Amino acid sequence: MGLSRLAALHGVATSYSPSPDVTVSVPDDTVIAVLAALGVDAGTPEDVRRSLVAAESRSRLLPPTVVVWAGEPLPPALTALPPGSTVTVEPEPAGGPPAPATSWKVPEAASSWKLPGVAEAAPDPAEFPPGWTQPPYGVHRVHVRAPDHHEATATLVVAPARVPQPPERTHGFLVQLYSLLSARSWGMGDLGDLADLAAWAGRTLGSGFIQVNPLHAAVPGKPTDPSPYRPSSRRFPDPVHLHVESVPEYGHVHDRATLDDLRQDAAALSEAVLNKGALIDRDAVWELKRQALELIAQVPLTPGRRAAYCDFLAEQGQALEDHALWCALAEVHGPDWHGWPEPLRDPRSPGTARARSELLDRVDLHCRLAWLTATQLADAQRAAEDAGMEVGIVHDLAVGVHPAGADTWAQQDAFAHGMSVGAPPDAFNARGQDWGLPPWRPDALAATGYAAFRGLLRGLLAHAGALRIDHVMGLFRLWWVPEGRPPTDGTYVTYDAEAMLAVLVLEAHRAGSAVVGEDLGTVEPGVREALARRGVLGTSVLWFERDWDGDGRPLAPEKWRQDCLATATTHDLPSTAARLTGDHVTLRHRLGLLTRPLEEELTEDVTGTAEWLALLARLRMLPEGDGNEEAAVRAVHRFLRATPARMTGVWLPDTVGDRRPQNLPGTWDQYPNWRLPIADPEGHPVTLEEIAASPRLHGLMEVLRPPKARTAPPGERPA
């Protein structure tokens, strides 16, 4: 009983329900291990009693972080303050003259008092605290002094009620950027290709967005983990995505012969991928780009460029310096900081400070690479906006980071060491999942006013029209798996979803960006409703949209939710062509991934697909007698367009009939995850130029093309 009570006080579940009628108890040793990762000793009954007394005797006037939503009642943390308490708010610096702190008394009717300036959705400036000239959205400090002289200081997050919304209806492409090679790529798709795709899709097809995979910095290695969902840092992008020739200093490199040799080697890499069946080799691409970028870095910056770089350094501050230092140290000591010399494992040690001085040139190089990448990210979003895209580039936030990477080194206190994020057993995976990603500590986040989360979001949203959040349910709870244990021995740990959402809404508001949550799979009751209330769009994948509360048949288009991104597939699912033909089942059979006989799996798959095709036929979206795969792919997207979904996403490989998944969950070396270029139905890679000219693509996009899309001017070949 004591252990359960202690666990509940720290948000650690002692049981969970994989389905409404089933409850599974969590092993005690799992609960004890998770509590230990949160700094709570529960190893013995006496430890439990001592920790329980400490937790229950801890009394605060305020929790570490308090959330106030514009236009909504104040939270209990404020309305429960003793009448007569003095509340002082120190406004967050806003770049101009600092606003003065504001103090007032909590009235006797404490439940009805208001925080000046945020009582209404559109506050009246007359209600602002003295010295405030705009709605006080932000992250402030609040101090309370009670009549009995008890005091408390906390972080106050004041957020708008909802994130900015995308247009009523828009469509766009979903693409894994590395897979999109153009004639000028250096062996994999890059930010120049992204900008070109956005400019073409916006102007020619009337597309409103391009959603890409996470572009986070990877952990270097030989080989580097190719998954974009297990990065070294989520705060900074990876310079492997740079388009080298677009760096302004490129044209002023003195050693042209070496630069030309590197470019020829890069062309050979692309040739091997596009015409010789080679896989995308991120390490080989980076080796060539690294050499070229080191030559480029020798070119002095012009005064204007130098000023822009200095501004970037000032804006990014300590976070960038830590990231660049980790990159420099990894070049010397290897990519896993746990094996570095003892002094270097602490980013604030004197030994690390000495290393910073010794590696100053390499630290500056990595800072400059981060700046160049951020600049090209901004260029891609600008190209999208110039092409008329209502949203632009939709960036992707991975659910976590690699345990050996830059973020876990620089922010060690924020992570629960010895723990990994995963998923509990369910109907699709009886063994559960372990993703190998250390989770954030909810107590550390709250104690720092969610500073790490705020910095992460601000960096990602700086050049984004929208942000997709992978496994958005992680804002509410995550499945923690103790190191060395199977995923079945994990448990859920809850986060302060109100605070996480408030920070998300605030940063999205500041950036003017929409937010899409990937809410597929097991979703805790109430989560989708909470996200929708804050304007976070969901994700609806056609094959999973069925009347689960009724007959289980495919859901009619008018019954789909409006506030979502609707699509036929994702990076972790089969392409639409593979789904329609059953190729995805036979692929999994060849790799030994099926848990049932092939015939049984095929029968179930064919039956499910047939139900969807029958619905498409009844709705006259699939021409009678037209059973070819290309027509069925168009019918699927015609259906998506008929739903009320705000955003319709088209998997770019679907436009040319690619049958191969980019990632096959449950595989590692058995399948070339994250290393395949976009290809045609026969598996022949196609370039961006070939995609843009594809009749199959244009036939599909006619289904989604809005009436006002651009037509070709005289003399130009129509799209």
mmCIF file of all heavy atoms in Angstrom, residues 339-377:
data_model
loop_
_atom_site.group_PDB
_atom_site.id
_atom_site.type_symbol
_atom_site.label_atom_id
_atom_site.label_comp_id
_atom_site.label_asym_id
_atom_site.label_seq_id
_atom_site.Cartn_x
_atom_site.Cartn_y
_atom_site.Cartn_z
ATOM 1 N N GLY A 339 31.654 7.090 -22.295
ATOM 2 C CA GLY A 339 32.990 6.517 -22.323
ATOM 3 C C GLY A 339 34.098 7.545 -22.418
ATOM 4 O O GLY A 339 35.270 7.182 -22.558
ATOM 5 N N TRP A 340 33.767 8.828 -22.354
ATOM 6 C CA TRP A 340 34.790 9.869 -22.390
ATOM 7 C C TRP A 340 35.573 9.890 -21.068
ATOM 8 O O TRP A 340 35.110 9.351 -20.047
ATOM 9 C CB TRP A 340 34.142 11.231 -22.596
ATOM 10 C CG TRP A 340 33.516 11.429 -23.949
ATOM 11 C CD1 TRP A 340 33.538 10.579 -25.011
ATOM 12 C CD2 TRP A 340 32.755 12.571 -24.362
ATOM 13 N NE1 TRP A 340 32.842 11.106 -26.073
ATOM 14 C CE2 TRP A 340 32.347 12.337 -25.705
ATOM 15 C CE3 TRP A 340 32.371 13.761 -23.756
ATOM 16 C CZ2 TRP A 340 31.595 13.252 -26.422
ATOM 17 C CZ3 TRP A 340 31.621 14.675 -24.468
ATOM 18 C CH2 TRP A 340 31.235 14.424 -25.799
ATOM 19 N N PRO A 341 36.747 10.524 -21.088
ATOM 20 C CA PRO A 341 37.457 10.733 -19.816
ATOM 21 C C PRO A 341 36.529 11.378 -18.786
ATOM 22 O O PRO A 341 35.710 12.240 -19.126
ATOM 23 C CB PRO A 341 38.607 11.671 -20.208
ATOM 24 C CG PRO A 341 38.850 11.365 -21.660
ATOM 25 C CD PRO A 341 37.503 11.054 -22.240
ATOM 26 N N GLU A 342 36.662 10.980 -17.542
ATOM 27 C CA GLU A 342 35.718 11.369 -16.486
ATOM 28 C C GLU A 342 35.407 12.872 -16.461
ATOM 29 O O GLU A 342 34.227 13.258 -16.393
ATOM 30 C CB GLU A 342 36.262 10.920 -15.132
ATOM 31 C CG GLU A 342 35.305 11.141 -13.966
ATOM 32 C CD GLU A 342 34.107 10.209 -14.011
ATOM 33 O OE1 GLU A 342 34.279 9.056 -14.438
ATOM 34 O OE2 GLU A 342 33.001 10.644 -13.624
ATOM 35 N N PRO A 343 36.396 13.764 -16.517
ATOM 36 C CA PRO A 343 36.069 15.196 -16.420
ATOM 37 C C PRO A 343 35.175 15.689 -17.561
ATOM 38 O O PRO A 343 34.398 16.629 -17.374
ATOM 39 C CB PRO A 343 37.444 15.876 -16.462
ATOM 40 C CG PRO A 343 38.414 14.817 -16.061
ATOM 41 C CD PRO A 343 37.851 13.539 -16.586
ATOM 42 N N LEU A 344 35.302 15.061 -18.735
ATOM 43 C CA LEU A 344 34.556 15.542 -19.900
ATOM 44 C C LEU A 344 33.103 15.075 -19.896
ATOM 45 O O LEU A 344 32.309 15.543 -20.716
ATOM 46 C CB LEU A 344 35.240 15.071 -21.184
ATOM 47 C CG LEU A 344 36.678 15.523 -21.384
ATOM 48 C CD1 LEU A 344 37.208 15.025 -22.725
ATOM 49 C CD2 LEU A 344 36.795 17.048 -21.301
ATOM 50 N N ARG A 345 32.756 14.172 -18.983
ATOM 51 C CA ARG A 345 31.368 13.718 -18.930
ATOM 52 C C ARG A 345 30.453 14.757 -18.292
ATOM 53 O O ARG A 345 29.240 14.662 -18.401
ATOM 54 C CB ARG A 345 31.285 12.402 -18.139
ATOM 55 C CG ARG A 345 32.069 11.274 -18.782
ATOM 56 C CD ARG A 345 32.041 10.023 -17.919
ATOM 57 N NE ARG A 345 33.107 9.098 -18.301
ATOM 58 C CZ ARG A 345 33.420 7.991 -17.653
ATOM 59 N NH1 ARG A 345 32.736 7.670 -16.550
ATOM 60 N NH2 ARG A 345 34.401 7.213 -18.063
ATOM 61 N N ASP A 346 31.050 15.745 -17.653
ATOM 62 C CA ASP A 346 30.291 16.840 -17.040
ATOM 63 C C ASP A 346 30.490 18.090 -17.889
ATOM 64 O O ASP A 346 31.608 18.606 -17.979
ATOM 65 C CB ASP A 346 30.790 17.080 -15.618
ATOM 66 C CG ASP A 346 30.071 18.240 -14.934
ATOM 67 O OD1 ASP A 346 29.195 18.866 -15.569
ATOM 68 O OD2 ASP A 346 30.392 18.518 -13.764
ATOM 69 N N PRO A 347 29.437 18.601 -18.527
ATOM 70 C CA PRO A 347 29.617 19.764 -19.404
ATOM 71 C C PRO A 347 30.057 21.027 -18.665
ATOM 72 O O PRO A 347 30.516 21.978 -19.303
ATOM 73 C CB PRO A 347 28.232 19.955 -20.034
ATOM 74 C CG PRO A 347 27.282 19.260 -19.123
ATOM 75 C CD PRO A 347 28.043 18.132 -18.511
ATOM 76 N N ARG A 348 29.962 21.044 -17.332
ATOM 77 C CA ARG A 348 30.315 22.247 -16.574
ATOM 78 C C ARG A 348 31.604 22.075 -15.766
ATOM 79 O O ARG A 348 31.928 22.918 -14.934
ATOM 80 C CB ARG A 348 29.170 22.615 -15.623
ATOM 81 C CG ARG A 348 27.832 22.807 -16.312
ATOM 82 C CD ARG A 348 27.803 24.053 -17.194
ATOM 83 N NE ARG A 348 26.575 24.070 -17.997
ATOM 84 C CZ ARG A 348 26.539 23.869 -19.296
ATOM 85 N NH1 ARG A 348 27.657 23.647 -19.962
ATOM 86 N NH2 ARG A 348 25.399 23.889 -19.951
ATOM 87 N N SER A 349 32.356 21.006 -16.011
ATOM 88 C CA SER A 349 33.573 20.774 -15.230
ATOM 89 C C SER A 349 34.724 21.649 -15.730
ATOM 90 O O SER A 349 34.729 22.100 -16.883
ATOM 91 C CB SER A 349 33.984 19.303 -15.333
ATOM 92 O OG SER A 349 34.545 19.030 -16.608
ATOM 93 N N PRO A 350 35.732 21.892 -14.880
ATOM 94 C CA PRO A 350 36.921 22.632 -15.333
ATOM 95 C C PRO A 350 37.618 21.936 -16.503
ATOM 96 O O PRO A 350 38.146 22.591 -17.402
ATOM 97 C CB PRO A 350 37.814 22.667 -14.078
ATOM 98 C CG PRO A 350 36.860 22.518 -12.931
ATOM 99 C CD PRO A 350 35.778 21.616 -13.426
ATOM 100 N N GLY A 351 37.633 20.597 -16.485
ATOM 101 C CA GLY A 351 38.261 19.866 -17.585
ATOM 102 C C GLY A 351 37.547 20.109 -18.905
ATOM 103 O O GLY A 351 38.194 20.236 -19.957
ATOM 104 N N THR A 352 36.243 20.180 -18.870
ATOM 105 C CA THR A 352 35.478 20.468 -20.086
ATOM 106 C C THR A 352 35.730 21.896 -20.552
ATOM 107 O O THR A 352 35.812 22.165 -21.753
ATOM 108 C CB THR A 352 33.980 20.233 -19.837
ATOM 109 O OG1 THR A 352 33.777 18.874 -19.450
ATOM 110 C CG2 THR A 352 33.166 20.517 -21.088
ATOM 111 N N ALA A 353 35.874 22.819 -19.610
ATOM 112 C CA ALA A 353 36.175 24.210 -19.967
ATOM 113 C C ALA A 353 37.526 24.302 -20.671
ATOM 114 O O ALA A 353 37.684 25.045 -21.653
ATOM 115 C CB ALA A 353 36.158 25.084 -18.719
ATOM 116 N N ARG A 354 38.516 23.535 -20.186
ATOM 117 C CA ARG A 354 39.830 23.520 -20.849
ATOM 118 C C ARG A 354 39.717 22.933 -22.249
ATOM 119 O O ARG A 354 40.316 23.449 -23.209
ATOM 120 C CB ARG A 354 40.837 22.732 -20.012
ATOM 121 C CG ARG A 354 41.308 23.444 -18.766
ATOM 122 C CD ARG A 354 42.510 22.745 -18.142
ATOM 123 N NE ARG A 354 42.184 21.399 -17.684
ATOM 124 C CZ ARG A 354 41.677 21.118 -16.491
ATOM 125 N NH1 ARG A 354 41.433 22.089 -15.628
ATOM 126 N NH2 ARG A 354 41.419 19.866 -16.145
ATOM 127 N N ALA A 355 38.959 21.857 -22.374
ATOM 128 C CA ALA A 355 38.780 21.238 -23.684
ATOM 129 C C ALA A 355 38.098 22.199 -24.648
ATOM 130 O O ALA A 355 38.415 22.221 -25.849
ATOM 131 C CB ALA A 355 37.955 19.955 -23.545
ATOM 132 N N ARG A 356 37.186 23.001 -24.135
ATOM 133 C CA ARG A 356 36.503 23.990 -24.976
ATOM 134 C C ARG A 356 37.520 24.955 -25.584
ATOM 135 O O ARG A 356 37.441 25.300 -26.763
ATOM 136 C CB ARG A 356 35.476 24.738 -24.128
ATOM 137 C CG ARG A 356 34.506 25.612 -24.914
ATOM 138 C CD ARG A 356 33.634 26.420 -23.964
ATOM 139 N NE ARG A 356 33.029 25.617 -22.918
ATOM 140 C CZ ARG A 356 31.831 25.076 -22.985
ATOM 141 N NH1 ARG A 356 31.106 25.262 -24.079
ATOM 142 N NH2 ARG A 356 31.355 24.371 -21.979
ATOM 143 N N SER A 357 38.477 25.386 -24.783
ATOM 144 C CA SER A 357 39.508 26.308 -25.284
ATOM 145 C C SER A 357 40.419 25.623 -26.295
ATOM 146 O O SER A 357 40.798 26.202 -27.315
ATOM 147 C CB SER A 357 40.342 26.844 -24.111
ATOM 148 O OG SER A 357 39.530 27.572 -23.215
ATOM 149 N N GLU A 358 40.763 24.370 -26.011
ATOM 150 C CA GLU A 358 41.669 23.640 -26.898
ATOM 151 C C GLU A 358 41.018 23.325 -28.245
ATOM 152 O O GLU A 358 41.708 23.214 -29.265
ATOM 153 C CB GLU A 358 42.111 22.338 -26.217
ATOM 154 C CG GLU A 358 42.954 22.565 -24.973
ATOM 155 C CD GLU A 358 43.066 21.316 -24.113
ATOM 156 O OE1 GLU A 358 42.460 20.281 -24.506
ATOM 157 O OE2 GLU A 358 43.739 21.355 -23.066
ATOM 158 N N LEU A 359 39.695 23.167 -28.257
ATOM 159 C CA LEU A 359 38.979 22.790 -29.481
ATOM 160 C C LEU A 359 38.193 23.963 -30.061
ATOM 161 O O LEU A 359 37.209 23.760 -30.773
ATOM 162 C CB LEU A 359 38.020 21.628 -29.177
ATOM 163 C CG LEU A 359 38.659 20.322 -28.708
ATOM 164 C CD1 LEU A 359 37.584 19.349 -28.223
ATOM 165 C CD2 LEU A 359 39.464 19.691 -29.845
ATOM 166 N N LEU A 360 38.640 25.163 -29.779
ATOM 167 C CA LEU A 360 37.860 26.350 -30.136
ATOM 168 C C LEU A 360 37.537 26.412 -31.622
ATOM 169 O O LEU A 360 36.414 26.761 -32.018
ATOM 170 C CB LEU A 360 38.622 27.613 -29.708
ATOM 171 C CG LEU A 360 37.787 28.891 -29.597
ATOM 172 C CD1 LEU A 360 36.641 28.705 -28.623
ATOM 173 C CD2 LEU A 360 38.679 30.058 -29.175
ATOM 174 N N ASP A 361 38.513 26.051 -32.484
ATOM 175 C CA ASP A 361 38.271 26.114 -33.927
ATOM 176 C C ASP A 361 37.191 25.128 -34.350
ATOM 177 O O ASP A 361 36.328 25.453 -35.180
ATOM 178 C CB ASP A 361 39.567 25.830 -34.696
ATOM 179 C CG ASP A 361 40.563 26.979 -34.600
ATOM 180 O OD1 ASP A 361 40.148 28.078 -34.187
ATOM 181 O OD2 ASP A 361 41.744 26.766 -34.925
ATOM 182 N N ARG A 362 37.225 23.922 -33.785
ATOM 183 C CA ARG A 362 36.200 22.926 -34.149
ATOM 184 C C ARG A 362 34.834 23.321 -33.585
ATOM 185 O O ARG A 362 33.800 23.113 -34.233
ATOM 186 C CB ARG A 362 36.591 21.541 -33.633
ATOM 187 C CG ARG A 362 37.867 20.984 -34.209
ATOM 188 C CD ARG A 362 37.863 20.913 -35.724
ATOM 189 N NE ARG A 362 36.859 20.011 -36.266
ATOM 190 C CZ ARG A 362 36.667 19.803 -37.564
ATOM 191 N NH1 ARG A 362 37.385 20.479 -38.462
ATOM 192 N NH2 ARG A 362 35.749 18.964 -37.983
ATOM 193 N N VAL A 363 34.817 23.887 -32.389
ATOM 194 C CA VAL A 363 33.549 24.354 -31.817
ATOM 195 C C VAL A 363 32.946 25.433 -32.703
ATOM 196 O O VAL A 363 31.743 25.427 -32.999
ATOM 197 C CB VAL A 363 33.764 24.875 -30.381
ATOM 198 C CG1 VAL A 363 32.490 25.558 -29.857
ATOM 199 C CG2 VAL A 363 34.166 23.734 -29.448
ATOM 200 N N ASP A 364 33.791 26.350 -33.166
ATOM 201 C CA ASP A 364 33.285 27.412 -34.044
ATOM 202 C C ASP A 364 32.767 26.839 -35.358
ATOM 203 O O ASP A 364 31.740 27.296 -35.880
ATOM 204 C CB ASP A 364 34.381 28.441 -34.325
ATOM 205 C CG ASP A 364 33.883 29.578 -35.207
ATOM 206 O OD1 ASP A 364 33.021 30.347 -34.750
ATOM 207 O OD2 ASP A 364 34.328 29.668 -36.368
ATOM 208 N N LEU A 365 33.453 25.816 -35.894
ATOM 209 C CA LEU A 365 32.987 25.192 -37.132
ATOM 210 C C LEU A 365 31.590 24.610 -36.942
ATOM 211 O O LEU A 365 30.701 24.815 -37.775
ATOM 212 C CB LEU A 365 33.953 24.095 -37.574
ATOM 213 C CG LEU A 365 33.459 23.255 -38.772
ATOM 214 C CD1 LEU A 365 33.417 24.096 -40.034
ATOM 215 C CD2 LEU A 365 34.344 22.024 -38.970
ATOM 216 N N HIS A 366 31.375 23.900 -35.844
ATOM 217 C CA HIS A 366 30.065 23.286 -35.626
ATOM 218 C C HIS A 366 28.988 24.335 -35.354
ATOM 219 O O HIS A 366 27.828 24.137 -35.734
ATOM 220 C CB HIS A 366 30.151 22.258 -34.506
ATOM 221 C CG HIS A 366 30.930 21.032 -34.888
ATOM 222 N ND1 HIS A 366 30.468 20.127 -35.829
ATOM 223 C CD2 HIS A 366 32.151 20.581 -34.490
ATOM 224 C CE1 HIS A 366 31.363 19.163 -35.973
ATOM 225 N NE2 HIS A 366 32.389 19.406 -35.182
ATOM 226 N N CYS A 367 29.375 25.436 -34.725
ATOM 227 C CA CYS A 367 28.420 26.540 -34.574
ATOM 228 C C CYS A 367 28.050 27.113 -35.939
ATOM 229 O O CYS A 367 26.877 27.400 -36.215
ATOM 230 C CB CYS A 367 29.017 27.641 -33.698
ATOM 231 S SG CYS A 367 29.087 27.274 -31.937
ATOM 232 N N ARG A 368 29.061 27.268 -36.794
ATOM 233 C CA ARG A 368 28.782 27.833 -38.113
ATOM 234 C C ARG A 368 27.917 26.888 -38.942
ATOM 235 O O ARG A 368 27.021 27.326 -39.669
ATOM 236 C CB ARG A 368 30.083 28.139 -38.857
ATOM 237 C CG ARG A 368 29.810 28.902 -40.162
ATOM 238 C CD ARG A 368 31.055 29.181 -40.982
ATOM 239 N NE ARG A 368 31.970 30.107 -40.328
ATOM 240 C CZ ARG A 368 32.895 30.803 -40.989
ATOM 241 N NH1 ARG A 368 32.998 30.690 -42.307
ATOM 242 N NH2 ARG A 368 33.704 31.601 -40.342
ATOM 243 N N LEU A 369 28.160 25.590 -38.825
ATOM 244 C CA LEU A 369 27.339 24.629 -39.566
ATOM 245 C C LEU A 369 25.882 24.699 -39.111
ATOM 246 O O LEU A 369 24.956 24.589 -39.922
ATOM 247 C CB LEU A 369 27.889 23.217 -39.383
ATOM 248 C CG LEU A 369 29.273 22.942 -39.986
ATOM 249 C CD1 LEU A 369 29.686 21.498 -39.720
ATOM 250 C CD2 LEU A 369 29.296 23.231 -41.483
ATOM 251 N N ALA A 370 25.679 24.864 -37.802
ATOM 252 C CA ALA A 370 24.304 25.003 -37.298
ATOM 253 C C ALA A 370 23.655 26.253 -37.872
ATOM 254 O O ALA A 370 22.466 26.249 -38.230
ATOM 255 C CB ALA A 370 24.317 25.056 -35.773
ATOM 256 N N TRP A 371 24.415 27.322 -37.976
ATOM 257 C CA TRP A 371 23.897 28.573 -38.547
ATOM 258 C C TRP A 371 23.551 28.404 -40.021
ATOM 259 O O TRP A 371 22.473 28.809 -40.469
ATOM 260 C CB TRP A 371 24.940 29.679 -38.354
ATOM 261 C CG TRP A 371 24.658 30.952 -39.084
ATOM 262 C CD1 TRP A 371 23.538 31.735 -38.979
ATOM 263 C CD2 TRP A 371 25.509 31.611 -40.029
ATOM 264 N NE1 TRP A 371 23.645 32.833 -39.794
ATOM 265 C CE2 TRP A 371 24.846 32.780 -40.454
ATOM 266 C CE3 TRP A 371 26.771 31.319 -40.550
ATOM 267 C CZ2 TRP A 371 25.414 33.659 -41.374
ATOM 268 C CZ3 TRP A 371 27.328 32.198 -41.455
ATOM 269 C CH2 TRP A 371 26.656 33.357 -41.866
ATOM 270 N N LEU A 372 24.450 27.795 -40.777
ATOM 271 C CA LEU A 372 24.194 27.589 -42.200
ATOM 272 C C LEU A 372 22.947 26.729 -42.414
ATOM 273 O O LEU A 372 22.134 26.998 -43.306
ATOM 274 C CB LEU A 372 25.405 26.922 -42.864
ATOM 275 C CG LEU A 372 26.689 27.751 -42.938
ATOM 276 C CD1 LEU A 372 27.822 26.910 -43.519
ATOM 277 C CD2 LEU A 372 26.486 29.015 -43.767
ATOM 278 N N THR A 373 22.799 25.702 -41.584
ATOM 279 C CA THR A 373 21.634 24.823 -41.734
ATOM 280 C C THR A 373 20.354 25.571 -41.386
ATOM 281 O O THR A 373 19.341 25.443 -42.086
ATOM 282 C CB THR A 373 21.787 23.578 -40.856
ATOM 283 O OG1 THR A 373 23.096 23.016 -41.044
ATOM 284 C CG2 THR A 373 20.753 22.532 -41.217
ATOM 285 N N ALA A 374 20.390 26.344 -40.313
ATOM 286 C CA ALA A 374 19.216 27.136 -39.943
ATOM 287 C C ALA A 374 18.866 28.128 -41.054
ATOM 288 O O ALA A 374 17.685 28.367 -41.343
ATOM 289 C CB ALA A 374 19.474 27.876 -38.631
ATOM 290 N N THR A 375 19.883 28.686 -41.692
ATOM 291 C CA THR A 375 19.649 29.632 -42.789
ATOM 292 C C THR A 375 18.953 28.952 -43.957
ATOM 293 O O THR A 375 18.011 29.508 -44.554
ATOM 294 C CB THR A 375 20.985 30.241 -43.251
ATOM 295 O OG1 THR A 375 21.603 30.915 -42.151
ATOM 296 C CG2 THR A 375 20.767 31.234 -44.386
ATOM 297 N N GLN A 376 19.384 27.739 -44.296
ATOM 298 C CA GLN A 376 18.743 27.039 -45.408
ATOM 299 C C GLN A 376 17.355 26.524 -45.029
ATOM 300 O O GLN A 376 16.479 26.409 -45.895
ATOM 301 C CB GLN A 376 19.644 25.908 -45.906
ATOM 302 C CG GLN A 376 20.892 26.427 -46.609
ATOM 303 C CD GLN A 376 21.618 25.365 -47.426
ATOM 304 O OE1 GLN A 376 21.150 24.240 -47.586
ATOM 305 N NE2 GLN A 376 22.788 25.731 -47.950
ATOM 306 N N LEU A 377 17.130 26.225 -43.757
ATOM 307 C CA LEU A 377 15.771 25.907 -43.315
ATOM 308 C C LEU A 377 14.854 27.108 -43.521
ATOM 309 O O LEU A 377 13.710 26.971 -43.974
ATOM 310 C CB LEU A 377 15.774 25.496 -41.841
ATOM 311 C CG LEU A 377 16.340 24.124 -41.504
ATOM 312 C CD1 LEU A 377 16.527 23.984 -39.991
ATOM 313 C CD2 LEU A 377 15.423 23.027 -42.020
#
